[in-house]
Amino acid sequence: MGFLRPGEEYEIDSTIGPITCKALSFQQQRELIRIVKNLQTNTDPEEAMNLVEKILEKAIVRWSIGEAFSVALLLEKISFQEAMEIGKRITEGGKLSEIERKKSE
């Protein structure tokens, strides 16, 4: 298993095609973990959606579709469950298998 340096990019597959994310620094990861902790103890569905959106905003930099990227547009194109799965992959923090690393290069 390899690790990405902060700022290095990697792709996450989605129903709309690859989404490019950046590896987060230690401090950014710490902030992300705070959001995840809030998500884990949350009981309000709307607040859960807001927290997932914050996770996506931390790391996603672009997508493969031919239009300008924004998290708001992304959330119009994917389900909440998929957003949660993408968020989970982001929280794994730039930790990629060798196969994933080669795909992202």
Side-chain angles (χ1 to χ4, degrees), residues 18-31:
I19 296 172
T20 303
C21 299
K22 65 179 179 184
L24 302 176
S25 69
F26 183 90
Q27 276 304 101
Q28 292 168 321
Q29 230 8 55
R30 178 179 278 163
E31 293 167 16

Side-chain angles (χ1 to χ4, degrees), residues 35-57:
I35 296 169
V36 170
K37 281 185 175 182
N38 287 337
L39 184 60
Q40 291 170 338
T41 59
N42 176 62
T43 57
D44 177 15
E46 186 174 355
E47 181 61 17
M49 291 178 166
N50 291 336
L51 292 168
V52 170
E53 184 174 4
K54 285 182 181 182
I55 291 170
L56 301 182
E57 288 172 341

Side-chain angles (χ1 to χ4, degrees), residues 1-92:
M1 178 178 307
F3 292 93
L4 298 176
R5 291 186 313 268
E8 275 190 88
E9 295 181 352
Y10 61 97
E11 288 186 348
I12 294 176
D13 290 327
S14 75
T15 57
I16 60 168
I19 296 172
T20 303
C21 299
K22 65 179 179 184
L24 302 176
S25 69
F26 183 90
Q27 276 304 101
Q28 292 168 321
Q29 230 8 55
R30 178 179 278 163
E31 293 167 16
L32 191 70
I33 295 304
R34 286 186 188 120
I35 296 169
V36 170
K37 281 185 175 182
N38 287 337
L39 184 60
Q40 291 170 338
T41 59
N42 176 62
T43 57
D44 177 15
E46 186 174 355
E47 181 61 17
M49 291 178 166
N50 291 336
L51 292 168
V52 170
E53 184 174 4
K54 285 182 181 182
I55 291 170
L56 301 182
E57 288 172 341
K58 287 267 181 218
I60 299 176
V61 293
R62 67 180 164 280
W63 56 15
S64 61
I65 15 187
E67 56 187 74
F69 172 76
S70 77
V71 171
L73 282 175
L74 174 64
L75 297 176
E76 289 289 329
K77 299 179 183 299
I78 63 173
S79 68
F80 177 66
Q81 290 78 17
E82 186 173 11
M84 289 279 294
E85 180 60 29
I86 292 168
K88 179 181 172 194
R89 295 282 313 276
I90 289 169
T91 60
E92 292 170 353

